[in-house]
Amino acid sequence: MGLKPGRSALRRWNERSVLSSGPVRYSLGHLDALDPRAFELAVCSLLRRDGLVAEHVGRAGDKGADVLVVDRSRRRVVVQCKRLRPDRRVGDQDVQRVNGTYRHDHGAHFAVIVTTGGFTAAARASGPRYGIHLVDRDMLERWADMGEPLYRILRIPDVGTPRRRWATGT
């Protein structure tokens, strides 16, 4: 079952959450020590910390989606997590796999690949071309340990951020 961007679905998923949505921080050392599933759950917690509705869906046959997100602009986002050794790189084949599924299978507006390692030159070249944002080890540290919001790091506009309503003087 995937997330629907309606208000009641957003509220339902927030209420059922078993993951922390408060001030979550993880050091790179902590993330490096996690198994792949625990890393996916940590990424889901970080997305919730940023105020996004996130559902962990990672399992065998997940079609490139470990976490499904609905942001404040009601856009659907697929997040693929790659927990690797720091010296390893996510290759272009992983970017291609996510590209082949995030729109058609998940109905997402864009995708994000998060890794504890880095990306090959080919992956860095093709990711942005396909609407896939890449989060390498340095960006992950800014997000997970330093608390900087992911959308700010990736320069993704969050147009649905609640705006203050001004009372009229009538």
Side-chain angles (χ1 to χ4, degrees), residues 80-109:
Q80 174 68 44
C81 303
K82 295 290 184 185
R83 218 274 311 134
L84 304 173
R85 290 190 333 238
D87 62 329
R88 301 296 303 229
R89 303 287 172 254
V90 174
D92 192 48
Q93 71 279 6
D94 293 305
V95 173
Q96 297 298 331
R97 190 173 304 116
V98 171
N99 179 50
T101 61
Y102 83 86
R103 286 182 297 265
H104 301 293
D105 291 337
H106 301 291
H109 293 84

Side-chain angles (χ1 to χ4, degrees), residues 49-127:
R49 177 198 72 190
D50 286 356
L52 306 172
V53 176
E55 173 190 4
H56 177 254
V57 296
R59 65 189 181 291
D62 59 20
K63 296 187 178 182
D66 293 320
V67 180
L68 296 177
V69 174
V70 176
D71 67 16
R72 288 180 288 268
S73 299
R74 297 200 175 175
R75 294 173 294 199
R76 294 178 185 188
V77 182
V78 165
V79 179
Q80 174 68 44
C81 303
K82 295 290 184 185
R83 218 274 311 134
L84 304 173
R85 290 190 333 238
D87 62 329
R88 301 296 303 229
R89 303 287 172 254
V90 174
D92 192 48
Q93 71 279 6
D94 293 305
V95 173
Q96 297 298 331
R97 190 173 304 116
V98 171
N99 179 50
T101 61
Y102 83 86
R103 286 182 297 265
H104 301 293
D105 291 337
H106 301 291
H109 293 84
F110 59 90
V112 178
I113 301 175
V114 180
T115 183
T116 52
F119 293 92
T120 64
R124 286 194 180 283
S126 64

Side-chain angles (χ1 to χ4, degrees), residues 153-170:
I153 294 167
L154 296 175
R155 295 186 178 108
I156 298 172
D158 197 4
V159 296
T161 303
R163 293 196 175 103
R164 187 177 190 166
R165 281 185 90 149
W166 298 97
T168 57
T170 54

Side-chain angles (χ1 to χ4, degrees), residues 17-40:
S17 172
V18 295
L19 300 172
S20 175
S21 62
V24 176
R25 292 202 180 189
Y26 299 104
S27 69
L28 286 178
H30 179 84
L31 294 174
D32 288 338
L34 298 175
D35 64 53
R37 184 175 189 283
F39 178 63
E40 293 168 5

